[in-house]
Amino acid sequence: MNRSPLALALVATLASSSFATLASAADLTSYQAPPSYNEPVSSGDTWTGAYVGAHGGVASRKLNLFSGGNGGVVGVQGGYNADVGGMVLGGEGEVSYMGDTRVNVNGGSLKERHRLAVKGKAGVPLDQTLVYGTAGFAMTNMRDNGAVTGPDGWKAGYIVGAGIEQKLNEKISAKVEYNYTSTPDVRSTVAGVSSEKDVSDHAVRLGLNYKF
């Protein structure tokens, strides 16, 4: 009996099996596990976050801040910004000392002493710069001036403005802001005669904010 074909078939089978085993081993050694997921690292360039700061500037009853009757404004502020769809939206509260800014009333003037304000803010971020507008509610405390006596307590009004804020680093930013504040129906008395008048002022302030 000729056993050569049977031997050749056996050799072929063993060779094929060995080749398949080697190929599988090669596949296993070349396999690489998928990369592990890493949480994205924040760039720190976002405007989103809470902040506190301080401001100082000058206020006047006229748009010309050098027209006389000016007051030196100093105060503190705090708020929160959020990046929303390519805009920055936020809210801010502030307390300011108005430095006896004079406002005209019938028969003379009164002096603005303190102001509380709550404002909404909307702006457009330009990389490290924020251009924004602001509007809200203000309460102003006034005092008498000479023969003119004014209202007791706080008077309500509105405040609008605009500003530019520039990041100095990840935490600190500087801003310049203009505000117009109107206080309606301010009652004053001169020589026993009382009257009411809307009063207003313009203010330009520089400020620094620290973001948390």
Side-chain angles (χ1 to χ4, degrees):
M1 180 178 180
N2 187 1
R3 297 183 180 178
S4 296
L6 180 59
L8 290 173
L10 182 59
V11 170
T13 301
L14 291 174
S16 176
S17 177
S18 299
F19 179 78
T21 302
L22 290 173
S24 298
D27 289 341
L28 289 174
T29 56
S30 63
Y31 173 77
Q32 294 182 353
S36 60
Y37 174 76
N38 293 321
E39 188 73 21
V41 178
S42 173
S43 65
D45 289 337
T46 177
W47 288 91
T48 297
Y51 64 89
V52 295
H55 60 264
V58 61
S60 173
R61 58 191 166 189
K62 297 182 179 181
L63 186 56
N64 179 3
L65 298 179
F66 304 100
S67 60
N70 303 340
V73 180
V74 293
V76 295
Q77 71 272 352
Y80 185 88
N81 290 326
D83 290 270
V84 180
M87 296 187 64
V88 174
L89 304 178
E92 182 175 284
E94 64 180 37
V95 180
S96 301
Y97 170 70
M98 298 300 296
D100 288 342
T101 302
R102 294 184 184 182
V103 288
N104 292 331
V105 294
N106 296 324
S109 63
L110 294 173
K111 295 180 179 179
E112 294 178 324
R113 293 286 284 170
H114 307 96
R115 176 166 294 151
L116 306 175
V118 178
K119 305 180 292 183
K121 185 177 358 179
V124 178
L126 304 173
D127 193 17
Q128 303 298 302
T129 304
L130 178 66
V131 180
Y132 65 90
T134 184
F137 177 76
M139 296 285 290
T140 305
N141 175 266
M142 304 178 192
R143 72 172 184 170
D144 304 342
N145 184 30
V148 182
T149 58
D152 296 327
W154 297 81
K155 292 291 293 180
Y158 67 88
I159 182 170
V160 296
I164 299 176
E165 189 166 354
Q166 176 68 42
K167 287 186 177 181
L168 302 181
N169 56 43
E170 185 177 340
K171 293 293 187 181
I172 300 175
S173 60
K175 69 175 183 176
V176 56
E177 183 175 309
Y178 163 79
N179 287 127
Y180 170 80
T181 305
S182 177
T183 308
D185 303 326
V186 175
R187 177 172 291 275
S188 60
T189 302
V190 181
V193 179
S194 297
S195 62
E196 291 185 351
K197 184 178 180 179
D198 297 351
V199 302
S200 61
D201 66 65
H202 306 263
V204 174
R205 305 175 304 177
L206 301 176
L208 286 175
N209 285 329
Y210 179 86
K211 176 185 166 188
F212 295 101

mmCIF file of all heavy atoms in Angstrom, residues 112-154:
data_model
loop_
_atom_site.group_PDB
_atom_site.id
_atom_site.type_symbol
_atom_site.label_atom_id
_atom_site.label_comp_id
_atom_site.label_asym_id
_atom_site.label_seq_id
_atom_site.Cartn_x
_atom_site.Cartn_y
_atom_site.Cartn_z
ATOM 1 N N GLU A 112 -26.459 114.001 46.192
ATOM 2 C CA GLU A 112 -26.597 112.556 46.237
ATOM 3 C C GLU A 112 -25.482 111.970 47.102
ATOM 4 O O GLU A 112 -24.300 112.252 46.887
ATOM 5 C CB GLU A 112 -26.518 111.970 44.830
ATOM 6 C CG GLU A 112 -27.685 112.380 43.942
ATOM 7 C CD GLU A 112 -27.575 111.827 42.538
ATOM 8 O OE1 GLU A 112 -26.435 111.745 42.021
ATOM 9 O OE2 GLU A 112 -28.611 111.477 41.962
ATOM 10 N N ARG A 113 -25.871 111.108 48.052
ATOM 11 C CA ARG A 113 -24.908 110.555 49.003
ATOM 12 C C ARG A 113 -24.553 109.103 48.708
ATOM 13 O O ARG A 113 -23.386 108.748 48.604
ATOM 14 C CB ARG A 113 -25.483 110.660 50.421
ATOM 15 C CG ARG A 113 -25.629 112.077 50.915
ATOM 16 C CD ARG A 113 -24.295 112.675 51.280
ATOM 17 N NE ARG A 113 -23.798 112.169 52.551
ATOM 18 C CZ ARG A 113 -22.585 112.382 53.020
ATOM 19 N NH1 ARG A 113 -21.716 113.074 52.316
ATOM 20 N NH2 ARG A 113 -22.204 111.905 54.192
ATOM 21 N N HIS A 114 -25.556 108.255 48.622
ATOM 22 C CA HIS A 114 -25.320 106.826 48.432
ATOM 23 C C HIS A 114 -26.267 106.263 47.373
ATOM 24 O O HIS A 114 -27.342 106.819 47.134
ATOM 25 C CB HIS A 114 -25.529 106.052 49.743
ATOM 26 C CG HIS A 114 -24.738 106.589 50.889
ATOM 27 N ND1 HIS A 114 -25.269 107.478 51.810
ATOM 28 C CD2 HIS A 114 -23.458 106.374 51.264
ATOM 29 C CE1 HIS A 114 -24.343 107.777 52.710
ATOM 30 N NE2 HIS A 114 -23.237 107.121 52.404
ATOM 31 N N ARG A 115 -25.839 105.133 46.793
ATOM 32 C CA ARG A 115 -26.692 104.487 45.783
ATOM 33 C C ARG A 115 -26.557 102.970 45.864
ATOM 34 O O ARG A 115 -25.453 102.434 46.001
ATOM 35 C CB ARG A 115 -26.330 104.957 44.378
ATOM 36 C CG ARG A 115 -27.115 104.246 43.259
ATOM 37 C CD ARG A 115 -26.972 104.973 41.940
ATOM 38 N NE ARG A 115 -27.610 106.272 42.027
ATOM 39 C CZ ARG A 115 -27.226 107.349 41.321
ATOM 40 N NH1 ARG A 115 -26.186 107.262 40.504
ATOM 41 N NH2 ARG A 115 -27.867 108.490 41.451
ATOM 42 N N LEU A 116 -27.695 102.303 45.777
ATOM 43 C CA LEU A 116 -27.765 100.851 45.622
ATOM 44 C C LEU A 116 -28.326 100.570 44.231
ATOM 45 O O LEU A 116 -29.271 101.229 43.807
ATOM 46 C CB LEU A 116 -28.680 100.226 46.673
ATOM 47 C CG LEU A 116 -28.405 100.547 48.140
ATOM 48 C CD1 LEU A 116 -29.487 99.930 49.025
ATOM 49 C CD2 LEU A 116 -27.039 100.029 48.554
ATOM 50 N N ALA A 117 -27.767 99.608 43.536
ATOM 51 C CA ALA A 117 -28.250 99.293 42.197
ATOM 52 C C ALA A 117 -28.186 97.797 41.942
ATOM 53 O O ALA A 117 -27.265 97.114 42.387
ATOM 54 C CB ALA A 117 -27.435 100.037 41.135
ATOM 55 N N VAL A 118 -29.187 97.310 41.211
ATOM 56 C CA VAL A 118 -29.232 95.930 40.736
ATOM 57 C C VAL A 118 -29.431 95.999 39.230
ATOM 58 O O VAL A 118 -30.407 96.584 38.750
ATOM 59 C CB VAL A 118 -30.361 95.129 41.395
ATOM 60 C CG1 VAL A 118 -30.403 93.709 40.847
ATOM 61 C CG2 VAL A 118 -30.201 95.110 42.906
ATOM 62 N N LYS A 119 -28.498 95.387 38.472
ATOM 63 C CA LYS A 119 -28.501 95.553 37.019
ATOM 64 C C LYS A 119 -28.403 94.209 36.309
ATOM 65 O O LYS A 119 -27.713 93.301 36.770
ATOM 66 C CB LYS A 119 -27.310 96.422 36.577
ATOM 67 C CG LYS A 119 -27.245 97.777 37.272
ATOM 68 C CD LYS A 119 -26.064 98.599 36.804
ATOM 69 C CE LYS A 119 -24.742 98.019 37.239
ATOM 70 N NZ LYS A 119 -23.593 98.868 36.835
ATOM 71 N N GLY A 120 -29.065 94.114 35.168
ATOM 72 C CA GLY A 120 -28.841 93.016 34.249
ATOM 73 C C GLY A 120 -27.768 93.412 33.255
ATOM 74 O O GLY A 120 -27.540 94.591 32.995
ATOM 75 N N LYS A 121 -27.085 92.404 32.699
ATOM 76 C CA LYS A 121 -25.974 92.680 31.781
ATOM 77 C C LYS A 121 -26.047 91.742 30.587
ATOM 78 O O LYS A 121 -26.345 90.566 30.724
ATOM 79 C CB LYS A 121 -24.636 92.495 32.515
ATOM 80 C CG LYS A 121 -23.449 92.876 31.652
ATOM 81 C CD LYS A 121 -22.070 92.789 32.297
ATOM 82 C CE LYS A 121 -21.937 92.390 33.694
ATOM 83 N NZ LYS A 121 -20.548 92.330 34.164
ATOM 84 N N ALA A 122 -25.779 92.288 29.394
ATOM 85 C CA ALA A 122 -25.701 91.479 28.179
ATOM 86 C C ALA A 122 -24.553 92.013 27.339
ATOM 87 O O ALA A 122 -24.445 93.233 27.124
ATOM 88 C CB ALA A 122 -27.010 91.532 27.397
ATOM 89 N N GLY A 123 -23.685 91.109 26.879
ATOM 90 C CA GLY A 123 -22.514 91.574 26.143
ATOM 91 C C GLY A 123 -22.048 90.584 25.103
ATOM 92 O O GLY A 123 -22.525 89.449 25.017
ATOM 93 N N VAL A 124 -21.083 91.040 24.304
ATOM 94 C CA VAL A 124 -20.465 90.227 23.258
ATOM 95 C C VAL A 124 -18.995 90.051 23.596
ATOM 96 O O VAL A 124 -18.266 91.037 23.709
ATOM 97 C CB VAL A 124 -20.606 90.901 21.879
ATOM 98 C CG1 VAL A 124 -19.919 90.069 20.804
ATOM 99 C CG2 VAL A 124 -22.075 91.115 21.537
ATOM 100 N N PRO A 125 -18.533 88.793 23.789
ATOM 101 C CA PRO A 125 -17.115 88.568 24.088
ATOM 102 C C PRO A 125 -16.279 88.608 22.818
ATOM 103 O O PRO A 125 -16.618 87.982 21.811
ATOM 104 C CB PRO A 125 -17.112 87.162 24.714
ATOM 105 C CG PRO A 125 -18.290 86.478 24.098
ATOM 106 C CD PRO A 125 -19.317 87.552 23.835
ATOM 107 N N LEU A 126 -15.196 89.350 22.868
ATOM 108 C CA LEU A 126 -14.236 89.430 21.773
ATOM 109 C C LEU A 126 -12.901 88.931 22.312
ATOM 110 O O LEU A 126 -12.056 89.723 22.724
ATOM 111 C CB LEU A 126 -14.122 90.864 21.258
ATOM 112 C CG LEU A 126 -15.439 91.523 20.809
ATOM 113 C CD1 LEU A 126 -15.220 92.990 20.491
ATOM 114 C CD2 LEU A 126 -16.021 90.789 19.615
ATOM 115 N N ASP A 127 -12.768 87.602 22.376
ATOM 116 C CA ASP A 127 -11.610 86.955 22.963
ATOM 117 C C ASP A 127 -11.485 87.357 24.429
ATOM 118 O O ASP A 127 -12.320 87.003 25.239
ATOM 119 C CB ASP A 127 -10.351 87.280 22.164
ATOM 120 C CG ASP A 127 -9.175 86.387 22.544
ATOM 121 O OD1 ASP A 127 -9.411 85.341 23.168
ATOM 122 O OD2 ASP A 127 -8.020 86.734 22.233
ATOM 123 N N GLN A 128 -10.494 88.161 24.779
ATOM 124 C CA GLN A 128 -10.266 88.555 26.166
ATOM 125 C C GLN A 128 -10.986 89.856 26.537
ATOM 126 O O GLN A 128 -10.827 90.373 27.646
ATOM 127 C CB GLN A 128 -8.765 88.736 26.423
ATOM 128 C CG GLN A 128 -7.935 87.493 26.112
ATOM 129 C CD GLN A 128 -8.320 86.317 26.986
ATOM 130 O OE1 GLN A 128 -8.259 86.376 28.213
ATOM 131 N NE2 GLN A 128 -8.726 85.224 26.357
ATOM 132 N N THR A 129 -11.805 90.388 25.634
ATOM 133 C CA THR A 129 -12.506 91.653 25.855
ATOM 134 C C THR A 129 -14.012 91.423 25.816
ATOM 135 O O THR A 129 -14.512 90.670 24.978
ATOM 136 C CB THR A 129 -12.117 92.688 24.783
ATOM 137 O OG1 THR A 129 -10.699 92.850 24.784
ATOM 138 C CG2 THR A 129 -12.775 94.026 25.053
ATOM 139 N N LEU A 130 -14.738 92.071 26.726
ATOM 140 C CA LEU A 130 -16.196 91.990 26.760
ATOM 141 C C LEU A 130 -16.779 93.382 26.565
ATOM 142 O O LEU A 130 -16.477 94.305 27.329
ATOM 143 C CB LEU A 130 -16.668 91.411 28.094
ATOM 144 C CG LEU A 130 -18.189 91.318 28.293
ATOM 145 C CD1 LEU A 130 -18.787 90.317 27.307
ATOM 146 C CD2 LEU A 130 -18.520 90.908 29.725
ATOM 147 N N VAL A 131 -17.598 93.552 25.526
ATOM 148 C CA VAL A 131 -18.327 94.798 25.282
ATOM 149 C C VAL A 131 -19.777 94.547 25.696
ATOM 150 O O VAL A 131 -20.415 93.609 25.204
ATOM 151 C CB VAL A 131 -18.252 95.211 23.804
ATOM 152 C CG1 VAL A 131 -19.014 96.507 23.579
ATOM 153 C CG2 VAL A 131 -16.802 95.359 23.359
ATOM 154 N N TYR A 132 -20.313 95.354 26.606
ATOM 155 C CA TYR A 132 -21.614 95.030 27.188
ATOM 156 C C TYR A 132 -22.467 96.260 27.432
ATOM 157 O O TYR A 132 -21.992 97.397 27.488
ATOM 158 C CB TYR A 132 -21.426 94.271 28.506
ATOM 159 C CG TYR A 132 -20.750 95.083 29.607
ATOM 160 C CD1 TYR A 132 -21.500 95.844 30.500
ATOM 161 C CD2 TYR A 132 -19.371 95.085 29.740
ATOM 162 C CE1 TYR A 132 -20.891 96.577 31.504
ATOM 163 C CE2 TYR A 132 -18.750 95.807 30.736
ATOM 164 C CZ TYR A 132 -19.516 96.558 31.616
ATOM 165 O OH TYR A 132 -18.902 97.302 32.599
ATOM 166 N N GLY A 133 -23.747 96.015 27.579
ATOM 167 C CA GLY A 133 -24.709 97.017 28.018
ATOM 168 C C GLY A 133 -25.356 96.562 29.306
ATOM 169 O O GLY A 133 -25.363 95.364 29.626
ATOM 170 N N THR A 134 -25.903 97.512 30.043
ATOM 171 C CA THR A 134 -26.472 97.171 31.345
ATOM 172 C C THR A 134 -27.683 98.058 31.628
ATOM 173 O O THR A 134 -27.766 99.207 31.167
ATOM 174 C CB THR A 134 -25.406 97.335 32.454
ATOM 175 O OG1 THR A 134 -25.936 96.910 33.697
ATOM 176 C CG2 THR A 134 -24.941 98.773 32.575
ATOM 177 N N ALA A 135 -28.645 97.527 32.378
ATOM 178 C CA ALA A 135 -29.844 98.285 32.747
ATOM 179 C C ALA A 135 -30.437 97.670 34.004
ATOM 180 O O ALA A 135 -30.333 96.451 34.212
ATOM 181 C CB ALA A 135 -30.867 98.275 31.619
ATOM 182 N N GLY A 136 -31.051 98.514 34.835
ATOM 183 C CA GLY A 136 -31.628 97.979 36.053
ATOM 184 C C GLY A 136 -32.299 99.014 36.926
ATOM 185 O O GLY A 136 -32.765 100.062 36.453
ATOM 186 N N PHE A 137 -32.308 98.723 38.196
ATOM 187 C CA PHE A 137 -33.058 99.458 39.207
ATOM 188 C C PHE A 137 -32.085 100.075 40.205
ATOM 189 O O PHE A 137 -31.132 99.415 40.633
ATOM 190 C CB PHE A 137 -34.007 98.484 39.911
ATOM 191 C CG PHE A 137 -34.806 99.062 41.034
ATOM 192 C CD1 PHE A 137 -35.901 99.863 40.788
ATOM 193 C CD2 PHE A 137 -34.472 98.782 42.353
ATOM 194 C CE1 PHE A 137 -36.655 100.385 41.833
ATOM 195 C CE2 PHE A 137 -35.208 99.288 43.411
ATOM 196 C CZ PHE A 137 -36.311 100.095 43.143
ATOM 197 N N ALA A 138 -32.315 101.347 40.565
ATOM 198 C CA ALA A 138 -31.410 102.050 41.479
ATOM 199 C C ALA A 138 -32.194 102.714 42.609
ATOM 200 O O ALA A 138 -33.326 103.168 42.415
ATOM 201 C CB ALA A 138 -30.594 103.099 40.732
ATOM 202 N N MET A 139 -31.552 102.754 43.766
ATOM 203 C CA MET A 139 -32.089 103.493 44.926
ATOM 204 C C MET A 139 -31.030 104.496 45.350
ATOM 205 O O MET A 139 -29.870 104.124 45.579
ATOM 206 C CB MET A 139 -32.391 102.537 46.074
ATOM 207 C CG MET A 139 -33.476 101.518 45.780
ATOM 208 S SD MET A 139 -35.132 102.217 45.817
ATOM 209 C CE MET A 139 -35.335 102.539 47.572
ATOM 210 N N THR A 140 -31.435 105.777 45.457
ATOM 211 C CA THR A 140 -30.486 106.840 45.781
ATOM 212 C C THR A 140 -30.910 107.573 47.039
ATOM 213 O O THR A 140 -32.091 107.891 47.217
ATOM 214 C CB THR A 140 -30.371 107.840 44.619
ATOM 215 O OG1 THR A 140 -30.027 107.139 43.424
ATOM 216 C CG2 THR A 140 -29.304 108.891 44.895
ATOM 217 N N ASN A 141 -29.938 107.830 47.905
ATOM 218 C CA ASN A 141 -30.146 108.589 49.127
ATOM 219 C C ASN A 141 -29.578 109.993 48.932
ATOM 220 O O ASN A 141 -28.455 110.138 48.451
ATOM 221 C CB ASN A 141 -29.461 107.871 50.290
ATOM 222 C CG ASN A 141 -29.536 108.650 51.579
ATOM 223 O OD1 ASN A 141 -28.628 109.400 51.895
ATOM 224 N ND2 ASN A 141 -30.608 108.465 52.316
ATOM 225 N N MET A 142 -30.360 111.021 49.267
ATOM 226 C CA MET A 142 -29.939 112.416 49.059
ATOM 227 C C MET A 142 -29.961 113.176 50.372
ATOM 228 O O MET A 142 -30.638 112.791 51.329
ATOM 229 C CB MET A 142 -30.872 113.096 48.053
ATOM 230 C CG MET A 142 -30.961 112.366 46.732
ATOM 231 S SD MET A 142 -32.108 113.167 45.573
ATOM 232 C CE MET A 142 -32.224 111.882 44.325
ATOM 233 N N ARG A 143 -29.235 114.284 50.363
ATOM 234 C CA ARG A 143 -29.272 115.137 51.547
ATOM 235 C C ARG A 143 -29.484 116.591 51.144
ATOM 236 O O ARG A 143 -29.308 116.977 49.981
ATOM 237 C CB ARG A 143 -28.007 114.984 52.369
ATOM 238 C CG ARG A 143 -26.762 115.598 51.792
ATOM 239 C CD ARG A 143 -25.656 115.532 52.834
ATOM 240 N NE ARG A 143 -24.432 116.190 52.388
ATOM 241 C CZ ARG A 143 -23.401 116.435 53.188
ATOM 242 N NH1 ARG A 143 -23.449 116.072 54.469
ATOM 243 N NH2 ARG A 143 -22.317 117.028 52.736
ATOM 244 N N ASP A 144 -29.838 117.413 52.146
ATOM 245 C CA ASP A 144 -30.135 118.818 51.893
ATOM 246 C C ASP A 144 -28.899 119.559 51.411
ATOM 247 O O ASP A 144 -27.754 119.144 51.667
ATOM 248 C CB ASP A 144 -30.650 119.484 53.171
ATOM 249 C CG ASP A 144 -31.874 118.782 53.751
ATOM 250 O OD1 ASP A 144 -32.507 118.008 53.001
ATOM 251 O OD2 ASP A 144 -32.166 118.987 54.943
ATOM 252 N N ASN A 145 -29.163 120.679 50.740
ATOM 253 C CA ASN A 145 -28.065 121.528 50.267
ATOM 254 C C ASN A 145 -28.466 122.990 50.439
ATOM 255 O O ASN A 145 -29.317 123.510 49.711
ATOM 256 C CB ASN A 145 -27.765 121.231 48.796
ATOM 257 C CG ASN A 145 -26.579 122.016 48.293
ATOM 258 O OD1 ASN A 145 -25.659 122.341 49.039
ATOM 259 N ND2 ASN A 145 -26.600 122.349 47.010
ATOM 260 N N GLY A 146 -27.839 123.649 51.418
ATOM 261 C CA GLY A 146 -28.162 125.043 51.678
ATOM 262 C C GLY A 146 -29.604 125.199 52.145
ATOM 263 O O GLY A 146 -30.043 124.512 53.081
ATOM 264 N N ALA A 147 -30.354 126.072 51.476
ATOM 265 C CA ALA A 147 -31.744 126.322 51.853
ATOM 266 C C ALA A 147 -32.700 125.277 51.300
ATOM 267 O O ALA A 147 -33.901 125.316 51.593
ATOM 268 C CB ALA A 147 -32.164 127.710 51.363
ATOM 269 N N VAL A 148 -32.213 124.381 50.513
ATOM 270 C CA VAL A 148 -33.070 123.364 49.893
ATOM 271 C C VAL A 148 -33.055 122.095 50.740
ATOM 272 O O VAL A 148 -31.993 121.540 51.027
ATOM 273 C CB VAL A 148 -32.575 123.029 48.466
ATOM 274 C CG1 VAL A 148 -33.514 122.016 47.813
ATOM 275 C CG2 VAL A 148 -32.482 124.286 47.621
ATOM 276 N N THR A 149 -34.233 121.637 51.126
ATOM 277 C CA THR A 149 -34.354 120.377 51.852
ATOM 278 C C THR A 149 -34.939 119.323 50.920
ATOM 279 O O THR A 149 -35.786 119.632 50.069
ATOM 280 C CB THR A 149 -35.248 120.520 53.092
ATOM 281 O OG1 THR A 149 -36.548 120.984 52.693
ATOM 282 C CG2 THR A 149 -34.635 121.513 54.065
ATOM 283 N N GLY A 150 -34.480 118.101 51.080
ATOM 284 C CA GLY A 150 -34.895 117.043 50.174
ATOM 285 C C GLY A 150 -35.681 115.946 50.859
ATOM 286 O O GLY A 150 -36.046 116.063 52.026
ATOM 287 N N PRO A 151 -35.927 114.865 50.151
ATOM 288 C CA PRO A 151 -36.735 113.767 50.684
ATOM 289 C C PRO A 151 -35.966 112.959 51.725
ATOM 290 O O PRO A 151 -34.745 112.854 51.676
ATOM 291 C CB PRO A 151 -37.028 112.923 49.436
ATOM 292 C CG PRO A 151 -35.848 113.176 48.544
ATOM 293 C CD PRO A 151 -35.452 114.594 48.776
ATOM 294 N N ASP A 152 -36.708 112.392 52.663
ATOM 295 C CA ASP A 152 -36.108 111.490 53.628
ATOM 296 C C ASP A 152 -36.008 110.087 53.025
ATOM 297 O O ASP A 152 -36.836 109.673 52.213
ATOM 298 C CB ASP A 152 -36.955 111.426 54.908
ATOM 299 C CG ASP A 152 -36.995 112.768 55.631
ATOM 300 O OD1 ASP A 152 -35.989 113.503 55.567
ATOM 301 O OD2 ASP A 152 -38.046 113.071 56.232
ATOM 302 N N GLY A 153 -34.985 109.345 53.426
ATOM 303 C CA GLY A 153 -34.852 107.963 52.977
ATOM 304 C C GLY A 153 -34.339 107.836 51.551
ATOM 305 O O GLY A 153 -33.622 108.706 51.037
ATOM 306 N N TRP A 154 -34.726 106.727 50.917
ATOM 307 C CA TRP A 154 -34.218 106.372 49.599
ATOM 308 C C TRP A 154 -35.275 106.611 48.539
ATOM 309 O O TRP A 154 -36.462 106.381 48.757
ATOM 310 C CB TRP A 154 -33.803 104.902 49.578
ATOM 311 C CG TRP A 154 -32.674 104.586 50.512
ATOM 312 C CD1 TRP A 154 -32.767 104.368 51.858
ATOM 313 C CD2 TRP A 154 -31.302 104.468 50.182
ATOM 314 N NE1 TRP A 154 -31.532 104.116 52.394
ATOM 315 C CE2 TRP A 154 -30.603 104.154 51.381
ATOM 316 C CE3 TRP A 154 -30.572 104.560 48.997
ATOM 317 C CZ2 TRP A 154 -29.239 103.959 51.434
ATOM 318 C CZ3 TRP A 154 -29.208 104.352 49.029
ATOM 319 C CH2 TRP A 154 -28.553 104.067 50.230
#
